[in-house]
Amino acid sequence: FNKQVPRLQTNAASKNWDKFLMPVLTGKTVGFVGFGNIAQATARLCKGFGMRTIAVRRQGSLEGVEEILDEVVETGSADATRVFAESDFVICSLPGTPATHHYCGASEFAAMKPGSVFISVGRGSCVDEAALAAALDKGGIAGAALDVFEKEPLPEDSPLWQRPNVLISAHNADLTEDYMDLAWGTFLQRFEEFRAG
């Protein structure tokens, strides 16, 4: 979205030579909703681009992540929507639990600043998809990149299909050529840790 790929695709389809300024990532803010392994790996990459990183997490402390996270807001605090309001990109990687069901809903999407992008890579149940579609319809959010959904496969009648400002992948963002090798390596490492006590 930062490189305006939908705009580029539209220009290519219409043979339109549209020279425009490309935005940069430096100085932009990434807000993480949940700060587990996925978010921490992503935050490291974001810091490499000179981005500000903030997160909503259960542990309301920077302890152990101060090199990759600039600010933390504790889950459930009144300030939690501030992460949505201050971020150019919001990345939700929450696990699916009763406490996280529809954590990203209408009020969170309404808090997002104009032109921001919502990214969901955790569990689909954490996102109120109807509220997201409504926010996209209002035009405040520039777009969404979604890899997980409340119901998979995503039903054909979902309002998220066929939108130029939504990227949809079939819960396969992590299904890479080396997936099985990495998974097996992680299993063996955890097994050895278990055996060692």
Side-chain angles (χ1 to χ4, degrees):
F1 283 99
N2 198 61
K3 290 299 181 187
Q4 301 184 42
V5 172
R7 181 177 180 175
L8 295 171
Q9 290 173 322
T10 300
N11 287 339
S14 62
K15 299 177 184 171
N16 180 29
W17 188 258
D18 177 23
K19 195 169 186 176
F20 58 91
L21 289 176
M22 285 285 187
V24 297
L25 294 174
T26 303
K28 299 242 168 110
T29 298
V30 179
F32 295 95
V33 182
F35 205 67
N37 291 338
I38 294 170
Q40 289 178 33
T42 305
R44 281 185 192 84
L45 296 170
C46 292
K47 289 312 251 178
F49 283 104
M51 301 177 83
R52 177 177 173 248
T53 56
I54 59 177
V56 175
R57 68 186 296 215
R58 280 181 302 193
Q59 181 184 346
S61 147
L62 287 171
E63 186 178 339
V65 293
E66 41 296 286
E67 290 182 17
I68 57 173
L69 192 59
D70 296 310
E71 186 179 349
V72 66
V73 176
E74 190 167 356
T75 303
S77 80
D79 279 348
T81 55
R82 187 170 55 83
V83 172
F84 289 83
E86 292 181 12
S87 299
D88 298 290
F89 302 91
V90 173
I91 302 174
C92 178
S93 60
L94 288 171
T97 69
T100 62
H101 184 261
H102 285 190
Y103 188 92
C104 301
S107 60
E108 289 75 23
F109 296 129
M112 289 178 71
K113 62 171 139 177
S116 58
V117 175
F118 179 76
I119 301 164
S120 181
V121 293
R123 290 293 176 257
S125 62
C126 302
V127 178
D128 182 340
E129 293 172 7
L132 175 59
L136 289 162
D137 285 341
K138 289 179 185 170
I141 300 174
L146 309 171
D147 184 54
V148 293
F149 303 92
E150 197 152 14
K151 184 174 181 188
E152 296 181 0
L154 185 63
E156 288 185 17
D157 62 349
S158 169
L160 297 171
W161 285 115
Q162 299 180 328
R163 290 174 178 265
N165 59 345
V166 176
L167 298 175
I168 293 176
S169 55
H171 201 156
N172 64 331
D174 67 339
L175 190 57
T176 57
E177 293 173 345
D178 59 353
Y179 176 81
M180 288 307 292
D181 291 335
L182 293 172
W184 186 245
T186 300
F187 171 79
L188 291 175
Q189 178 184 352
R190 297 293 181 260
F191 180 72
E192 289 304 323
E193 290 169 358
F194 174 77
R195 279 184 28 180

